Amino acid sequence: AAAGVLGVMKMVLSLQHEVVGWTRHADEPSPHIVWNGSGLALLQQARPWLRQPGQVRRAGVSSFGVSGTNAHVVLEEAPGQTHPAVQDAPSHGVLPLLLSGRDAAALRDQAERWAAWLSEHADTPWSDVVRTAALHRTHFDHRAALTASDGPAAVEALTELAAERAHPAVSVGQAATRGRVVFVFPGHGSQWAAMGRVLLEESAAFAEAIAACDAALLPHTGWSVTSVLRDDDGEDVPPLDRVDVVQPVLFAMGVGLAAAWRSLGLEPAAVVGHSVGEVAAAVVCGALTLEDGAQLVAVRGQRISSVSESGAMLSVQLPEAKVAERLAPWGEVLTIGVVNGPDSAVVSGEASAIAELEASLQADGVFCRRVNIGFAAHSAQMDGVLEG
């Protein structure tokens, strides 16, 4: 029984270190086995056992009990990481260095050791340093994060952290006091020109996710999301301000950004989305396939584009009840389309009425801002989408 356990431990270590140890206590091969042509052999010395693309390493471990009870276990290497992109992190620019310790003193000691090491290894690529700190070190409860563009800048911040002095690039906290991560996917109106253009060049995970969205959307749209994000020239590249364009592009951006964050080791405990962002959230959490989400978003945008009237939306910094009171003079022409929080709501309706409401609120000193959208989403104007 002990030999079986030791055999398992040996093979786990062999998989981990990618080396197979030589066979002990078996100098002479058994004459009862036809070795020639079998592909089997006793190892007379240690040999490499490297991971190979597209192949899975396995090992069999047998245990023969004196009582006659035999057991055979097949071990298989753990699957590789499903996200590659920390290795694809840009070698330049500001990146976060993550540190942790069992207590505050240990965290300061960690900062001091990092500062000393970086001072002695100034030529080490900064992206390699932050990747190692993020994914290849134990994360204890007492944590710090600092942002820097290179080792020397990090040394300055680390020195301040070690001395318990504040530094603008350093944030300190405890894991126990932090909430879980939630990915929030916004709706129409969150777009801007050239969004995602830099990430397409610098994040392989983001670029791969956008390419997958592109392939899923193309049968329903006939144009390329990647071309729109890059603002390529050509008659087949539609403008971003079209309803049937911006919604699929925002969907792809949501899926792509989630892939980029995950590639950096940030996994959400939950996802939430608003409007078209709901579809991206559903795809990211696995409630919808990418293909189904893409079709839903593409058809939704096309239907809205075909039925939407002249409308507008206005973000208002007031509680929902206060906003409802301000809408009373306009009756059903204006409605509350979105409640963003305890003191924030979005009004949706006819463009002329939105302009009147905007002027009234500004005159009273109430903060309000137009949403970058050309129709009255989440209002009665959208009822036509359900028809046909």
Side-chain angles (χ1 to χ4, degrees):
V5 173
L6 290 174
V8 170
M9 294 171 63
K10 174 183 176 181
M11 298 318 301
V12 168
L13 291 170
S14 295
L15 288 166
Q16 177 183 349
H17 294 282
E18 300 186 338
V19 174
V20 181
W22 58 282
T23 306
R24 299 177 61 86
H25 312 303
D27 297 330
E28 295 293 333
S30 169
H32 302 292
I33 298 175
V34 180
W35 297 96
N36 291 335
S38 68
L40 304 175
L42 292 179
L43 290 181
Q44 302 301 322
Q45 59 183 6
R47 57 177 291 183
W49 195 20
L50 303 178
R51 292 177 174 87
Q52 299 294 336
Q55 297 182 7
V56 178
R57 296 174 303 156
R58 297 184 180 89
V61 180
S62 295
S63 175
F64 304 98
V66 176
S67 65
T69 302
N70 299 334
H72 188 73
V73 176
V74 177
L75 301 177
E76 180 177 297
E77 65 179 322
Q81 292 182 338
T82 56
H83 50 77
V86 176
Q87 296 179 355
D88 301 313
S91 57
H92 57 85
V94 176
L95 296 172
L97 176 65
L98 307 180
L99 295 82
S100 68
R102 294 185 184 276
D103 52 35
L107 182 62
R108 293 193 298 271
D109 291 343
Q110 182 74 255
E112 186 175 357
R113 288 195 297 272
W114 264 113
W117 190 91
L118 287 171
S119 297
E120 297 174 0
H121 301 82
D123 57 342
T124 303
W126 183 234
S127 58
D128 291 347
V129 172
V130 298
R131 179 178 67 240
T132 299
L135 296 184
H136 301 294
R137 297 180 66 85
T138 302
H139 295 289
F140 297 107
D141 288 343
H142 290 258
R143 301 179 181 182
L146 64 92
T147 53
S149 57
D150 54 29
V155 168
E156 177 186 343
L158 287 164
T159 302
E160 298 301 297
L161 174 60
E164 293 188 88
R165 292 190 293 264
H167 191 280
V170 178
S171 177
V172 180
Q174 287 184 253
T177 62
R178 294 175 57 198
R180 293 182 294 175
V181 174
V182 177
F183 285 177
V184 181
F185 298 84
H188 196 131
S190 58
Q191 71 276 6
W192 69 92
M195 60 180 180
R197 187 180 299 173
V198 175
L199 275 177
L200 281 171
E201 301 298 328
E202 296 189 349
S203 172
F206 179 81
E208 290 172 6
I210 293 296
C213 290
D214 218 342
L217 286 163
L218 188 60
H220 309 290
T221 62
W223 45 264
S224 168
V225 168
T226 306
S227 296
V228 173
L229 290 176
R230 289 177 174 164
D231 196 20
D232 293 340
D233 294 328
E235 296 181 358
D236 58 342
V237 182
L240 183 62
D241 58 1
R242 268 177 34 190
V243 176
D244 60 326
V245 175
V246 67
Q247 295 210 353
V249 171
L250 283 174
F251 164 78
M253 280 293 299
V255 175
L257 287 171
W261 281 116
R262 280 175 156 169
S263 74
L264 296 170
L266 196 63
E267 284 292 335
V271 296
V272 62
H274 166 68
S275 191
V276 68
E278 290 181 272
V279 186
V283 170
V284 169
C285 74
L288 282 178
T289 66
L290 178 61
E291 291 72 21
D292 287 346
Q295 181 179 9
L296 176 59
V297 166
V299 174
R300 179 182 188 269
Q302 292 161 6
R303 289 291 298 158
I304 291 176
S305 179
S306 66
V307 305
S308 61
E309 305 173 21
S310 176
M313 300 184 75
L314 184 70
S315 178
V316 181
Q317 201 70 25
L318 284 176
E320 180 183 5
K322 293 287 186 182
V323 175
E325 292 176 5
R326 300 294 297 246
L327 299 186
W330 286 275
E332 297 182 355
V333 175
L334 296 180
T335 59
I336 295 177
V338 182
V339 177
N340 285 329
D343 299 309
S344 178
V346 179
V347 178
S348 183
E350 293 181 4
S352 58
I354 287 289
E356 295 173 3
L357 173 65
E358 183 179 17
S360 172
L361 291 169
Q362 290 176 344
D364 293 339
V366 177
F367 176 81
C368 57
R369 179 174 58 86
R370 287 289 186 106
V371 178
N372 186 14
I373 193 171
F375 59 96
H378 309 286
S379 74
Q381 288 190 16
M382 295 296 99
D383 289 349
V385 175
L386 302 176
E387 302 174 0

